[in-house]
Amino acid sequence: MNNIKINKNGSIITLSGNSSVIESEKNILEGLDLTGIESKDRIIIQQCMDTKKFKSDILYNGNNVYSLNKIVKEYRKLQKTGTLENLSKTLYNFFTLACGDIAHYNIEGYKDYYNYDLKKLEENLLRYSTSDRFSDRDNIFKKLKIGRYYKERENIDIDVVPLKTFQKIIKDYGFDTKVDNNIWNFDSFLREFSFTIHVDENKPSTIIRAIQKYYREFDKDKYIENLYESTKDSNTSLPISKIVYNADFFVHLLSDLNNELLYKCRNEAELLLESIPCKENEEYDLELELGM
């Protein structure tokens, strides 16, 4: 890999990559109106990298400058699946270097460490990561709602998610749904188990609150007792051990639905909202975010 260094206002910018590529991109960087102030220069370089679709790796005073578009695009792909199965080397380096994760031997070991689960990585690393003085990283953190912006996920409007998409998400957790006006029927296709909720409005936020309420109030012991009493004198009677086993499984299904549905809806809403073009005046306010 070839390297070229540029000295701009006392700061050293290093380009690495194919010789012809870095020579071309060096000429572009030399034409930028850089200030010598690292926080401002990093944003200028990041925007240039995205606009000109840079292919070289760039260091500013020895630390990577990251493409906003590339990192966000690859991260959104992970959000669509919820798994780290297709984690790229670019994102692996971003997580381990820019987000301050502990060292790992290789990318496969990294994915295994988090059980291939994006949510686990977010909960254990990305919500606590710091972008410190590096404004290009902070720009990415803001866009992805990680680090100090993680709490902003709670304010995402999940009601932008269409009900058909919402029902598909529910199906991922083992339930088919049927809707009759404001009555939602949930039938597990993994085991014989169903429940019904009533909602004031047919929108994701209202339905999720109703599911959470049903889960909080679900009485497993009462469910076992009722099922035993309703079947003990019939040809379909089950041994009490089987009834308890089934009840535990139902609680597991409800727990997954209760704990994961809101997370998946927030991810889906974020993807949908990002597809809506931003207004020109809603650009990243660097001075505000960095407290200048």
Side-chain angles (χ1 to χ4, degrees), residues 224-257:
I224 292 171
E225 180 183 337
N226 290 341
L227 187 59
Y228 175 74
E229 289 296 328
S230 66
T231 63
K232 68 177 182 178
D233 297 324
S234 69
N235 294 328
T236 59
S237 62
L238 295 172
I240 189 65
S241 60
K242 184 68 172 179
I243 293 174
V244 171
Y245 175 81
N246 285 344
D248 286 337
F249 185 78
F250 304 154
V251 171
H252 170 72
L253 284 181
L254 284 172
S255 177
D256 275 356
L257 188 66

Side-chain angles (χ1 to χ4, degrees), residues 13-26:
I13 303 170
T14 306
L15 294 86
S16 302
N18 177 276
S19 58
S20 61
V21 170
I22 61 176
E23 188 63 44
S24 173
E25 294 178 354
K26 166 182 170 290

Side-chain angles (χ1 to χ4, degrees), residues 70-78 86-97 99 107 110 144:
K70 188 170 185 178
I71 296 298
V72 169
K73 182 178 180 180
E74 294 195 11
Y75 194 87
R76 296 302 185 220
K77 289 180 180 178
L78 295 186
N86 295 315
L87 176 66
S88 68
K89 189 67 178 290
T90 298
L91 271 186
Y92 169 65
N93 288 335
F94 181 75
F95 292 150
T96 55
L97 299 177
C99 298
I107 190 170
Y110 189 82
L144 295 179

Side-chain angles (χ1 to χ4, degrees), residues 12-43:
I12 303 300
I13 303 170
T14 306
L15 294 86
S16 302
N18 177 276
S19 58
S20 61
V21 170
I22 61 176
E23 188 63 44
S24 173
E25 294 178 354
K26 166 182 170 290
N27 294 332
I28 295 173
L29 288 179
E30 287 180 327
L32 295 179
D33 188 19
L34 299 180
T35 65
I37 301 172
E38 184 171 10
S39 59
K40 292 186 176 181
D41 286 350
R42 282 181 166 273
I43 292 297

Side-chain angles (χ1 to χ4, degrees), residues 29-281:
L29 288 179
E30 287 180 327
L32 295 179
D33 188 19
L34 299 180
T35 65
I37 301 172
E38 184 171 10
S39 59
K40 292 186 176 181
D41 286 350
R42 282 181 166 273
I43 292 297
I44 293 171
I45 293 171
Q46 183 184 64
Q47 291 173 341
C48 178
M49 291 171 69
D50 288 335
T51 302
K52 301 297 184 180
K53 302 185 186 303
F54 272 29
K55 295 181 180 179
S56 58
D57 294 324
I58 298 179
L59 303 178
Y60 188 102
N61 287 339
N63 294 293
N64 288 88
V65 179
Y66 292 92
S67 160
L68 171 69
N69 290 348
K70 188 170 185 178
I71 296 298
V72 169
K73 182 178 180 180
E74 294 195 11
Y75 194 87
R76 296 302 185 220
K77 289 180 180 178
L78 295 186
Q79 284 185 305
K80 287 180 180 179
T81 63
T83 176
L84 301 178
E85 181 70 39
N86 295 315
L87 176 66
S88 68
K89 189 67 178 290
T90 298
L91 271 186
Y92 169 65
N93 288 335
F94 181 75
F95 292 150
T96 55
L97 299 177
C99 298
D101 205 356
I102 58 176
H104 294 80
Y105 289 113
N106 54 47
I107 190 170
E108 291 304 320
Y110 189 82
K111 290 188 285 188
D112 185 65
Y113 179 81
Y114 287 106
N115 296 325
Y116 289 76
D117 188 347
L118 176 61
K119 184 181 179 184
K120 183 176 180 181
L121 185 148
E122 289 182 336
E123 290 289 340
N124 288 275
L125 171 69
L126 300 183
R127 74 182 303 164
Y128 304 111
S129 297
T130 175
S131 53
D132 49 68
R133 73 179 188 277
F134 299 121
S135 52
D136 59 310
R137 298 181 192 178
D138 192 64
N139 203 4
I140 294 170
F141 280 31
K142 179 180 175 66
K143 187 73 172 178
L144 295 179
K145 294 181 175 60
I146 60 177
R148 63 186 177 127
Y149 305 104
Y150 196 85
K151 196 167 181 61
E152 291 181 9
R153 294 180 177 215
E154 297 176 8
N155 299 321
I156 294 174
D157 180 12
I158 63 173
D159 290 333
V160 301
V161 178
L163 287 182
K164 284 187 177 181
T165 302
F166 181 70
Q167 288 175 293
K168 288 179 182 178
I169 295 173
I170 291 173
K171 194 166 186 175
D172 290 340
Y173 296 102
F175 289 95
D176 284 320
T177 53
K178 295 180 181 177
V179 185
D180 182 9
N181 293 321
N182 292 85
I183 300 174
W184 282 66
N185 297 298
F186 293 73
D187 290 304
S188 168
F189 52 81
L190 300 176
R191 281 296 159 75
E192 185 180 344
F193 174 62
S194 62
F195 68 96
T196 300
I197 59 172
H198 299 253
V199 296
D200 297 326
E201 296 180 81
N202 285 315
K203 59 182 185 180
S205 60
T206 306
I207 299 162
I208 287 176
R209 284 196 295 271
I211 292 172
Q212 291 172 337
K213 182 175 185 294
Y214 180 87
Y215 174 69
R216 288 195 306 270
E217 297 177 354
F218 182 75
D219 188 333
K220 186 180 77 170
D221 293 336
K222 189 67 175 178
Y223 175 83
I224 292 171
E225 180 183 337
N226 290 341
L227 187 59
Y228 175 74
E229 289 296 328
S230 66
T231 63
K232 68 177 182 178
D233 297 324
S234 69
N235 294 328
T236 59
S237 62
L238 295 172
I240 189 65
S241 60
K242 184 68 172 179
I243 293 174
V244 171
Y245 175 81
N246 285 344
D248 286 337
F249 185 78
F250 304 154
V251 171
H252 170 72
L253 284 181
L254 284 172
S255 177
D256 275 356
L257 188 66
N258 177 68
N259 294 329
E260 304 293 335
L261 186 55
L262 180 57
Y263 171 80
K264 288 293 288 288
C265 280
R266 282 173 174 164
N267 279 355
E268 189 66 33
E270 194 169 2
L271 292 168
L272 288 170
L273 291 170
E274 191 164 280
S275 68
I276 301 172
C278 295
K279 297 177 182 178
E280 291 184 2
N281 62 352

